[in-house]
Amino acid sequence: MTNDYQRAGSLRTSGSGAPELRTPQKLMVFVLSMALFGLANIILEIIPDVTIGPVDISVAYFVFVPLAMVALFSPFWAALGAPLGEIVFVDLLMGDFSGLSEVEGYLQMFLALYIAGSLIRNPRSRTQIWLGAILVVVIDKFLSAIVDLAKVWLALEDPEYVEGLPESILFLEGIGFGVDIVMSGILFGAIPAMWLIPALHGKIEPLLGMRPRVPGEPIPGQAPRTGWFVAVAVLLSIAAAFFAFIEAWDLNVGEWEPDFLDQFGMNFLWVSVGAIVVVLGLAYLAYRAGRKRDGESQARLQAEADEAVALAERERREESIHS
Amino acid sequence: MLRKQRDVLSVEWIKLELIRTAYATRGGMFSRRDPRAVLVWYLIMAFVPWFTHNVTVLAVLFVIAAIGVFLARVGPLVLGLFIIGIGFEIFYLILVSLMFGGNLGTLAALGVVNLKLGIISMASMAAFVSLDPEKLSDALLAFKMPELFAFGVSYGYRMLPIMVEEFNTVFDGFRLRMAPPEKRGFLGWRTVVHWAKMAILSFYPIFLNTAKNVRTTVEALETRGFTYATVDGRGRSIRLGQMRMGTVDWLLLVVTVALVVGAFAAGQAWPLYR
């Protein structure tokens, strides 16, 4: 489908000021991204998975839905919303919420989508859309594959390890990675996105009262306080990796001897827990520091809020006199 | 409430079941508790299993979680999906490790891991099936989660059934307008491609419709001062003012902690590792 009608978009956008998003607009992008990715996941739940032997030929997610969001709107807010949609709609509602590993999954998906969305500078370029779609799957699945492979590597150190499991996990990881790239990245990622993103570009943004993304202009609504944001993101990913390692270690320790567990096992666990606490604390401090730098706009919002509250209270007092 | 549609497994039934889950209309013990107590109960049940490898402790925790599921009256769809999921997981892992020359030791180890995952899944089923969106987002706010997150949760719960309905309508529209493939092809692959194509095409109108809905929602929120309420603490305290921790809520937590401690004591008395 070709779509050359660009006038509506370009006329409205030319020179209309700073590409900064206001709070309601961020909220809209966040909620839209969350709702759409959640819906896509629910639809995937209804479709049965095809399994050939131990290999799962299924679609992990409809990548084209969040990809369209990050390509058309602010990548930061769209990427923040999409994985939350998956957690809220599918995992909580279906009782599939797995606690710690949800944190890991959220961060992986967020990073993958944010990077892909920042990469796509021109929403009408098919090459960039293809790159973005495959990148999302590669980053997301590669991070989880690293965790799984590290688990196998740890286990191989131990000669007592039950035979057959490391090879099988390696084998399944490799096959699964390939299947995911083809099924999720290309068939349900790049190919639909190649049609959907140009079709929506310039049409959906006015519905939210925003200007479309135009190549060559800065992307609206970039991550706030970039330096601090990167620090928080990196710290959170380290914490997520430790979460994952606790789980990974868990599979291995089931194989080890109980006396080994007594000597060494629980210490390792407590060290990991300690590391998570320290890293989360650092992330929180970095977040607070970032917020403090943001104090000026916060103060302005506070002043506006005070004014509105004062107005409302005065109105209420006057009303009570009249009645 | 009697469920007469139970024997019919269809998309319609799934939708109804989702609505029931989302709105917590099943009743049950947890739905009458303070949402904060339910969340704390869930956190206890979700974190404790990671700190032990003792099969006795895990078995007792499994029983506690199962009692929670029973008390919460989890519906057949969610419970069925859980049982099928965990069953297939075990089955495939067994198959694969046998294929590559594993033995019964592998099975026992995998069994322990699945026991842990089972405890956590059951706890989350019991807790989240019993919390309606309003209560859940209030509880999240009470624990100082970001406003955006709390709003997202309650919006998601409310909008999901409507969005599934809307998707269904659009999809049926495409089915009416598009001719099915003339030949089914090998294993019906043409039909599969046709359905996948319709599902993808349906997303175009859904994107636009949802964008309009979201804008309406956000504008309504702003009219009622959503952004200001996040800045000013008073809005939050008004919203959270109606939550009360009653005797039964405290009792729930005390009993749970006592049972968990009891589980660890039992693990000390009769340790069983595999």
Side-chain angles (χ1 to χ4, degrees):
Chain A
M1 189 187 292
T2 55
N3 206 327
D4 291 321
Y5 183 70
Q6 293 196 354
R7 209 187 69 187
S10 59
L11 261 185
R12 280 166 172 272
T13 59
S14 54
S16 67
E20 201 179 302
L21 291 183
R22 279 172 292 121
T23 318
Q25 289 179 323
K26 290 172 190 167
L27 187 62
M28 277 184 222
V29 172
F30 178 83
V31 171
L32 180 60
S33 172
M34 186 189 78
L36 285 171
F37 194 46
L39 177 70
N41 273 298
I42 276 286
I43 288 157
L44 263 184
E45 287 286 306
I46 297 171
I47 298 170
D49 290 352
V50 181
T51 18
I52 300 176
V55 180
D56 200 6
I57 313 269
S58 65
V59 188
Y61 30 61
F62 284 149
V63 172
F64 69 96
V65 173
L67 189 72
M69 288 302 300
V70 291
L72 294 169
F73 297 105
S74 151
F76 178 75
W77 292 99
L80 214 55
L84 182 65
E86 189 190 349
I87 293 177
V88 170
F89 279 56
V90 183
D91 300 345
L92 287 187
L93 273 177
M94 299 298 229
D96 198 14
F97 190 69
S98 46
L100 298 181
S101 55
E102 294 292 339
V103 179
E104 185 205 343
Y106 183 94
L107 286 170
Q108 278 172 9
M109 197 65 202
F110 165 74
L111 277 180
L113 284 173
Y114 180 62
I115 292 171
S118 307
L119 193 84
I120 298 179
R121 311 302 293 195
N122 178 8
R124 284 177 189 263
S125 151
R126 302 207 159 160
T127 328
Q128 290 181 15
I129 291 171
W130 268 80
L131 259 178
I134 292 171
L135 202 66
V136 170
V137 179
V138 168
I139 294 176
D140 184 40
K141 292 293 168 188
F142 187 66
L143 287 177
S144 55
I146 283 181
V147 170
D148 283 348
L149 291 182
K151 167 168 81 188
V152 175
W153 176 72
L154 267 178
L156 281 175
E157 300 284 298
D158 193 286
E160 298 267 324
Y161 198 84
V162 175
E163 280 179 22
L165 206 58
E167 286 88 347
S168 55
I169 290 178
L170 257 174
F171 177 73
L172 284 187
E173 282 299 320
I175 299 268
F177 194 56
V179 168
D180 275 329
I181 288 184
V182 173
M183 294 294 288
S184 309
I186 296 176
L187 287 181
F188 285 91
I191 293 173
M194 203 170 73
W195 157 75
L196 185 69
I197 296 176
L200 285 172
H201 184 235
K203 288 201 184 67
I204 193 170
E205 295 93 339
L207 287 179
L208 296 186
M210 283 172 222
R211 47 204 299 251
R213 267 168 74 165
V214 180
E217 283 184 13
I219 299 169
Q222 273 300 10
R225 308 281 147 207
T226 319
W228 290 109
F229 165 69
V230 169
V232 172
V234 167
L235 285 172
L236 282 180
S237 357
I238 295 173
F242 270 107
F243 280 143
F245 263 104
I246 288 193
E247 286 180 349
W249 178 72
D250 208 71
L251 181 64
N252 300 335
V253 90
E255 306 291 335
W256 285 333
E257 300 296 312
D259 56 322
F260 178 85
L261 193 74
D262 290 339
Q263 294 167 14
F264 187 64
M266 286 323 263
N267 283 341
F268 183 85
L269 182 62
W270 291 118
V271 166
S272 312
V273 171
I276 289 173
V277 170
V278 168
V279 168
L280 280 183
L282 282 176
Y284 181 69
L285 286 180
Y287 172 74
R288 287 299 294 267
R291 286 293 285 263
K292 215 163 273 167
R293 294 271 297 277
D294 205 16
E296 200 176 302
S297 66
Q298 198 72 16
R300 204 178 56 229
L301 263 178
Q302 179 72 51
E304 281 176 25
D306 282 344
E307 199 178 311
V309 169
L311 198 74
E313 275 175 355
R314 202 172 63 226
E315 263 174 20
R316 211 181 54 192
R317 266 203 309 278
E318 280 168 7
E319 216 168 88
S320 67
I321 291 169
H322 289 304
S323 60
Chain B
M1 192 191 295
L2 272 177
R3 293 183 298 277
K4 285 179 180 165
Q5 306 95 327
R6 180 186 296 218
D7 48 340
V8 195
L9 187 65
S10 66
V11 177
E12 200 64 25
W13 181 72
I14 290 176
K15 211 162 65 193
L16 279 172
E17 195 63 31
L18 276 176
I19 295 173
R20 281 200 197 97
T21 313
Y23 286 87
T25 51
R26 254 171 215 298
M29 196 270 289
F30 286 103
S31 60
R32 292 191 297 273
R33 297 285 75 78
D34 187 280
R36 284 172 295 182
V38 178
L39 269 196
V40 171
W41 180 84
Y42 168 68
L43 285 178
I44 295 173
M45 293 306 289
F47 274 92
V48 164
W50 296 109
F51 295 104
T52 180
H53 300 283
N54 195 330
V55 180
T56 319
V57 181
L58 289 177
V60 177
L61 288 175
F62 195 83
V63 172
I64 300 173
I67 293 171
V69 167
F70 176 73
L71 288 177
R73 293 196 203 162
V74 176
L77 171 76
V78 172
L79 207 57
L81 281 178
F82 164 71
I83 290 168
I84 291 172
I86 209 161
F88 273 87
E89 179 88 21
I90 293 173
F91 178 72
Y92 280 122
L93 281 169
I94 290 172
L95 204 72
V96 171
S97 59
L98 286 184
M99 233 168 69
F100 286 89
N103 55 20
L104 284 177
T106 329
L107 295 190
L110 294 173
V112 172
V113 173
N114 275 305
L115 197 62
K116 267 184 197 184
L117 293 180
I119 294 168
I120 294 162
S121 306
M122 288 205 296
S124 75
M125 274 192 283
F128 293 108
V129 155
S130 313
L131 290 172
D132 68 10
E134 206 79 23
K135 280 183 176 175
L136 182 54
S137 75
D138 281 355
L140 289 175
L141 269 188
F143 289 127
K144 300 248 172 162
M145 295 298 269
E147 194 88 9
L148 214 57
F149 182 74
F151 169 71
V153 168
S154 76
Y155 180 84
Y157 269 48
R158 276 179 195 277
M159 288 303 283
L160 177 69
I162 299 170
M163 288 181 69
V164 172
E165 181 90 55
E166 202 169 86
F167 188 86
N168 214 351
T169 314
V170 173
F171 191 77
D172 284 345
F174 273 108
R175 279 182 74 185
L176 282 174
R177 275 182 284 162
M178 287 169 74
E182 285 178 2
K183 277 181 257 167
R184 285 176 53 80
F186 176 64
L187 289 175
W189 71 272
R190 282 175 204 278
T191 318
V192 173
V193 168
H194 179 68
W195 278 69
K197 198 177 158 196
M198 285 194 299
I200 290 165
L201 286 176
S202 307
F203 268 96
Y204 178 69
I206 288 289
F207 257 82
L208 296 174
N209 284 356
T210 316
K212 277 163 95 179
N213 289 347
V214 164
R215 184 174 186 176
T216 313
T217 310
V218 171
E219 277 173 355
L221 276 174
E222 288 307 322
T223 326
R224 303 175 78 178
F226 181 78
T227 312
Y228 288 154
T230 61
V231 179
D232 196 309
R234 280 172 290 181
R236 187 170 164 278
S237 57
I238 291 171
R239 198 172 155 196
L240 301 182
Q242 33 89 25
M243 288 205 288
R244 292 272 176 280
M245 285 286 280
T247 324
V248 191
D249 300 319
W250 286 112
L251 207 65
L252 170 72
L253 293 183
V254 169
V255 167
T256 308
V257 171
L259 282 175
V260 169
V261 171
F264 276 89
Q268 287 286 332
W270 304 284
L272 177 62
Y273 290 98
R274 160 25 318 189

